Each structure stands twice: as structure tokens, then as C-alpha cells.
Amino acid sequence: MSWQVYVDDHLMCDIDGNHLASAAIVGHDGSVWAQSSSFPKFKPEEIAAIMKDFDEPGSLAPTGLHLGGAKYMVIQGEGGAVIRGKKGSSGITVKKTGQALVFGIYDEPLTPGQCNIIVERLGDYLIDQGL
């Protein structure tokens, strides 16, 4: 199965008539494995900062999580496994697997909890598959 199918069918899926604003699966090195058409163009240093926060939880808190020029306030996550961010009525969830980062970006009416479930469920599945 191609990585794009995971993004299209599992991340951009319909939930009560809503879906993520954008999503992607990105390698730890910043290479894009698959993404939705609306996923922001990011800088390598933004992925490097996210990876650093997984290694040193809390390192993004003072500066915020930046992706594609957007700045998200870092909110509670799971150190070394999940980073969550908020920006007004939108937000982001990033789940780290053994080889990739799974990104979900949402806008209202999708809730932070729904975004977390979508992203973390796929991330957990990939971890179970050794990815």
C-alpha cells in the first residue's frame, strides 16, 4: 500500500461530517512520505525542532511549534511520543513512530480530541507494524 493511501484514507477521513484541514507522514529526516494537498510547505529546521522536542520534551514550549510559518502554542502532549499545539480555533497533533512523524492539522468544528484520535491511532498502528 502506498503512503498516500494512509494520508487519504486514514488521516483525511470523515468524522461526523468533518475532517482534518491537512495531514502528512514525514520521515525523521524531513522527507515527505505522503501529504494532503493542503499540507503547509515546511522548512527543514521546523522538522529538526520537532524532532529535538521528542528527544528533549519541553524544548518547543518557550518558542512554540512552527510549521510552514504558522506558530502553535505547545500544549500538553506525551513526552517523547506526541506533541500537541494550538493556534486560535485550530491546532496540530504530531505523533512520532520509529521512522516517521504523523501530522494532523485541524480547524473547528473538528475538535482537538478528534484530531488526537485520528493521528495517534495511525501512529500506534505504524509503530505496531515496526515503522
Side-chain angles (χ1 to χ4, degrees):
M1 182 169 6
S2 91
W3 288 108
Q4 194 61 47
V5 172
Y6 285 103
V7 170
D8 296 342
D9 295 353
H10 299 282
L11 293 175
M12 297 302 288
C13 59
D14 189 281
I15 301 226
D16 299 330
N18 303 305
H19 55 81
L20 292 174
S22 61
I25 302 172
V26 177
H28 288 179
D29 62 357
S31 60
V32 175
W33 293 9
Q35 64 183 16
S36 63
S37 59
S38 55
F39 194 75
K41 182 155 180 53
F42 57 83
K43 298 179 179 126
E45 55 268 24
E46 292 172 329
I47 299 300
I50 291 167
M51 287 300 296
K52 180 181 178 191
D53 193 80
F54 281 117
D55 293 335
E56 301 170 27
S59 66
L60 281 178
T63 59
L65 184 158
H66 293 262
L67 188 72
K71 178 181 177 182
Y72 298 88
M73 179 180 67
V74 177
I75 54 177
Q76 99 290 344
E78 296 166 30
V82 179
I83 300 170
R84 298 183 183 107
K86 187 99 173 98
K87 179 182 156 208
S89 62
S90 65
I92 187 169
T93 301
V94 186
K95 170 77 175 182
K96 182 182 180 201
T97 74
Q99 299 176 26
L101 300 173
V102 180
F103 287 87
I105 298 174
Y106 69 90
D107 285 313
E108 287 184 340
L110 199 75
T111 67
Q114 289 171 314
C115 179
N116 295 342
I117 289 168
I118 294 167
V119 171
E120 293 175 39
R121 187 179 291 154
L122 179 61
D124 289 340
Y125 171 78
L126 295 177
I127 289 168
D128 290 344
Q129 300 303 306
L131 299 166

